Amino acid sequence: MISAGKYFKDKFGHKMYKAAVSLNVTCPNRDGTKGTGGCAFCSAEGSGEFASSCTLPVCEQIDAAISKLSSKVPADTGYIAYFQSFTSTYCDADTLRKVLTAAASHPKVEALSVGTRPDCLPPDIVEVLSEINRSIPLYVELGLQTSDDKVAESFGRGYETSCYDEAVKVLHEHGINVITHIIFGLCGETREGMLRSVKHAVKCGTDGVKFTCLYIIKGTRYEKLYNEGKIEVLDQQEYFDIVEDALSLLPQDTVVHRLTGDGPKKTLIAPSWTFNKRQVVNYINRRFKDLL
Ligand code: SF4
């Protein structure tokens, strides 16, 4: 495996940071197509808490994200416009082309990253992604979360794992880099099951991975289960033990984009160890310094 920092430095010649962008889209788990209310763990913002309002033009959102970051990052930093919230390809092909083209035209943007679901990649959307990927490096981030269809059904993912397999194949046929999101600690999943998800993504040829622990967020279905004592969250040691095992399963060239996520501060309920971001970063730096 290779750390994202090293991978980006080799590819772009300097550090890369993400400038979060949100689009005026929802997702099939929210608009009634596959379900309503979203996945059992998903926040009302659809994981887009770090972006500006979707009502602002894309380049203004990028400017706002860059100005927030600029005092903390080196002057020669490059930026990845990150379409993170909800399902960024859940729109028509022309709209997607327009927003991706606008982001790609921003003078400080050197790559794009598009978060989506594997069941939201019809041929015309893949064609747009492929077209954009020919002009600027493009990453597609797929929310697999688990390869266990029963666990996925329990949180209401709304597609089968075979759909993810097919999406990775199609994106690769178009030369598009795939990053797979996996959650450790989902309700009903064993440690072996979590590692099976990693093996599955590797078998499908994912180019990169993002791991996160399960967060309990206010207003979600998991909050209710958590309050009723029906879900437990992983403690820090347990979670990073699983991460360490997961890293050992990755081929040399798989890029590790994230070892854990960032829960939205205002609505985060558990795990409590994730509240102190600095402490988590220090822990990761100590424990994984030789691995990444
Ligand atoms: S996690 Fe993704 S697919 Fe699930 S409800 Fe949230 S935005 Fe939709």
Side-chain angles (χ1 to χ4, degrees), residues 23-25 58 83 88-102 125 128 132:
L23 298 181
N24 189 16
V25 290
V58 166
F83 294 81
S88 299
T89 62
Y90 199 43
C91 57
D92 64 78
D94 286 342
T95 303
L96 186 67
R97 182 180 291 105
K98 208 169 123 201
V99 294
L100 295 185
T101 304
I125 290 288
V128 171
I132 299 289

Short mmCIF file of all heavy atoms in Angstrom, two decimals, residues 23-25 58 83 88-102 125 128 132:
data_model
loop_
_atom_site.label_atom_id
_atom_site.label_comp_id
_atom_site.label_asym_id
_atom_site.label_seq_id
_atom_site.Cartn_x
_atom_site.Cartn_y
_atom_site.Cartn_z
N LEU A 23 -23.29 19.73 -4.40
CA LEU A 23 -24.20 19.95 -5.52
C LEU A 23 -25.63 19.85 -5.03
O LEU A 23 -25.90 19.21 -4.01
CB LEU A 23 -23.97 18.88 -6.60
CG LEU A 23 -22.59 18.85 -7.22
CD1 LEU A 23 -22.52 17.76 -8.28
CD2 LEU A 23 -22.27 20.20 -7.85
N ASN A 24 -26.50 20.40 -5.81
CA ASN A 24 -27.91 20.35 -5.44
C ASN A 24 -28.51 19.01 -5.89
O ASN A 24 -29.29 18.94 -6.82
CB ASN A 24 -28.63 21.53 -6.10
CG ASN A 24 -30.05 21.65 -5.59
OD1 ASN A 24 -30.39 21.06 -4.56
ND2 ASN A 24 -30.88 22.38 -6.31
N VAL A 25 -28.04 17.94 -5.24
CA VAL A 25 -28.52 16.59 -5.59
C VAL A 25 -28.96 15.90 -4.29
O VAL A 25 -28.61 16.32 -3.21
CB VAL A 25 -27.42 15.73 -6.25
CG1 VAL A 25 -27.09 16.23 -7.64
CG2 VAL A 25 -26.16 15.69 -5.39
N VAL A 58 -20.05 26.54 -8.42
CA VAL A 58 -18.98 25.62 -8.05
C VAL A 58 -17.65 26.34 -7.78
O VAL A 58 -16.99 26.07 -6.77
CB VAL A 58 -18.82 24.57 -9.18
CG1 VAL A 58 -17.52 23.80 -9.04
CG2 VAL A 58 -20.00 23.61 -9.14
N PHE A 83 -16.38 16.50 -4.80
CA PHE A 83 -17.84 16.48 -4.81
C PHE A 83 -18.28 15.37 -3.87
O PHE A 83 -18.32 14.20 -4.23
CB PHE A 83 -18.35 16.24 -6.24
CG PHE A 83 -18.02 17.37 -7.17
CD1 PHE A 83 -16.76 17.46 -7.74
CD2 PHE A 83 -18.95 18.35 -7.45
CE1 PHE A 83 -16.43 18.52 -8.58
CE2 PHE A 83 -18.64 19.42 -8.29
CZ PHE A 83 -17.38 19.50 -8.85
N SER A 88 -23.16 12.42 -5.97
CA SER A 88 -22.86 13.52 -6.90
C SER A 88 -23.17 13.20 -8.37
O SER A 88 -23.21 14.12 -9.18
CB SER A 88 -21.40 13.93 -6.77
OG SER A 88 -21.17 14.38 -5.46
N THR A 89 -23.37 11.94 -8.70
CA THR A 89 -23.73 11.65 -10.10
C THR A 89 -25.25 11.41 -10.23
O THR A 89 -25.70 10.93 -11.27
CB THR A 89 -22.99 10.40 -10.63
OG1 THR A 89 -23.38 9.26 -9.83
CG2 THR A 89 -21.48 10.58 -10.58
N TYR A 90 -26.01 11.77 -9.18
CA TYR A 90 -27.45 11.57 -9.23
C TYR A 90 -28.11 12.81 -9.84
O TYR A 90 -28.85 13.54 -9.21
CB TYR A 90 -27.97 11.30 -7.82
CG TYR A 90 -29.33 10.65 -7.75
CD1 TYR A 90 -29.67 9.60 -8.60
CD2 TYR A 90 -30.28 11.06 -6.82
CE1 TYR A 90 -30.91 8.99 -8.53
CE2 TYR A 90 -31.52 10.46 -6.74
CZ TYR A 90 -31.82 9.43 -7.60
OH TYR A 90 -33.07 8.83 -7.53
N CYS A 91 -27.76 13.02 -11.11
CA CYS A 91 -28.30 14.17 -11.84
C CYS A 91 -28.20 13.81 -13.33
O CYS A 91 -27.71 12.73 -13.67
CB CYS A 91 -27.49 15.44 -11.54
SG CYS A 91 -25.73 15.29 -11.89
N ASP A 92 -28.63 14.71 -14.20
CA ASP A 92 -28.53 14.35 -15.62
C ASP A 92 -27.11 14.62 -16.13
O ASP A 92 -26.34 15.37 -15.50
CB ASP A 92 -29.60 15.09 -16.45
CG ASP A 92 -29.38 16.57 -16.41
OD1 ASP A 92 -28.49 17.05 -17.12
OD2 ASP A 92 -30.10 17.26 -15.64
N ALA A 93 -26.79 14.00 -17.25
CA ALA A 93 -25.41 14.04 -17.76
C ALA A 93 -24.96 15.47 -18.07
O ALA A 93 -23.81 15.83 -17.80
CB ALA A 93 -25.30 13.15 -19.00
N ASP A 94 -25.86 16.30 -18.59
CA ASP A 94 -25.46 17.68 -18.95
C ASP A 94 -25.11 18.49 -17.71
O ASP A 94 -24.14 19.26 -17.71
CB ASP A 94 -26.59 18.39 -19.72
CG ASP A 94 -26.68 17.86 -21.14
OD1 ASP A 94 -25.69 17.24 -21.60
OD2 ASP A 94 -27.74 18.02 -21.76
N THR A 95 -25.92 18.32 -16.66
CA THR A 95 -25.63 19.03 -15.40
C THR A 95 -24.28 18.60 -14.85
O THR A 95 -23.45 19.43 -14.45
CB THR A 95 -26.74 18.74 -14.35
OG1 THR A 95 -27.98 19.12 -14.92
CG2 THR A 95 -26.50 19.47 -13.05
N LEU A 96 -24.04 17.29 -14.87
CA LEU A 96 -22.77 16.80 -14.33
C LEU A 96 -21.59 17.34 -15.15
O LEU A 96 -20.59 17.81 -14.58
CB LEU A 96 -22.75 15.26 -14.35
CG LEU A 96 -21.52 14.64 -13.68
CD1 LEU A 96 -21.52 14.91 -12.17
CD2 LEU A 96 -21.46 13.13 -13.92
N ARG A 97 -21.73 17.31 -16.47
CA ARG A 97 -20.65 17.83 -17.34
C ARG A 97 -20.37 19.30 -17.00
O ARG A 97 -19.22 19.71 -16.89
CB ARG A 97 -21.05 17.69 -18.81
CG ARG A 97 -19.96 18.17 -19.77
CD ARG A 97 -20.34 18.02 -21.23
NE ARG A 97 -20.43 16.65 -21.67
CZ ARG A 97 -21.56 15.97 -21.90
NH1 ARG A 97 -22.74 16.57 -21.72
NH2 ARG A 97 -21.55 14.72 -22.30
N LYS A 98 -21.46 20.05 -16.84
CA LYS A 98 -21.31 21.49 -16.57
C LYS A 98 -20.54 21.74 -15.26
O LYS A 98 -19.59 22.53 -15.23
CB LYS A 98 -22.71 22.12 -16.49
CG LYS A 98 -22.75 23.56 -16.88
CD LYS A 98 -24.19 24.02 -17.02
CE LYS A 98 -24.41 25.19 -16.11
NZ LYS A 98 -25.77 25.45 -15.75
N VAL A 99 -20.93 21.05 -14.21
CA VAL A 99 -20.27 21.33 -12.91
C VAL A 99 -18.84 20.81 -12.87
O VAL A 99 -17.94 21.46 -12.34
CB VAL A 99 -21.08 20.81 -11.68
CG1 VAL A 99 -22.38 21.55 -11.54
CG2 VAL A 99 -21.32 19.32 -11.75
N LEU A 100 -18.62 19.65 -13.48
CA LEU A 100 -17.25 19.12 -13.46
C LEU A 100 -16.33 19.97 -14.34
O LEU A 100 -15.17 20.23 -13.99
CB LEU A 100 -17.22 17.65 -13.92
CG LEU A 100 -17.95 16.65 -13.02
CD1 LEU A 100 -17.75 15.22 -13.52
CD2 LEU A 100 -17.51 16.74 -11.56
N THR A 101 -16.85 20.43 -15.47
CA THR A 101 -16.06 21.29 -16.35
C THR A 101 -15.72 22.60 -15.63
O THR A 101 -14.59 23.10 -15.71
CB THR A 101 -16.82 21.57 -17.66
OG1 THR A 101 -17.15 20.32 -18.25
CG2 THR A 101 -16.00 22.37 -18.65
N ALA A 102 -16.71 23.15 -14.91
CA ALA A 102 -16.46 24.40 -14.18
C ALA A 102 -15.37 24.18 -13.13
O ALA A 102 -14.43 24.98 -13.01
CB ALA A 102 -17.76 24.88 -13.51
N ILE A 125 -23.65 8.92 -17.85
CA ILE A 125 -22.89 9.54 -16.76
C ILE A 125 -21.43 9.06 -16.82
O ILE A 125 -20.49 9.86 -16.68
CB ILE A 125 -23.54 9.18 -15.39
CG1 ILE A 125 -24.89 9.90 -15.24
CG2 ILE A 125 -22.59 9.49 -14.22
CD1 ILE A 125 -24.84 11.39 -14.99
N VAL A 128 -19.60 10.96 -19.40
CA VAL A 128 -19.17 12.30 -18.95
C VAL A 128 -17.91 12.18 -18.08
O VAL A 128 -16.93 12.91 -18.26
CB VAL A 128 -20.29 13.01 -18.13
CG1 VAL A 128 -19.77 14.29 -17.50
CG2 VAL A 128 -21.49 13.30 -19.02
N ILE A 132 -14.28 13.85 -18.90
CA ILE A 132 -13.57 14.75 -17.97
C ILE A 132 -12.21 14.17 -17.60
O ILE A 132 -11.21 14.89 -17.52
CB ILE A 132 -14.43 14.98 -16.69
CG1 ILE A 132 -15.77 15.63 -17.03
CG2 ILE A 132 -13.65 15.79 -15.64
CD1 ILE A 132 -15.74 17.07 -17.46
#
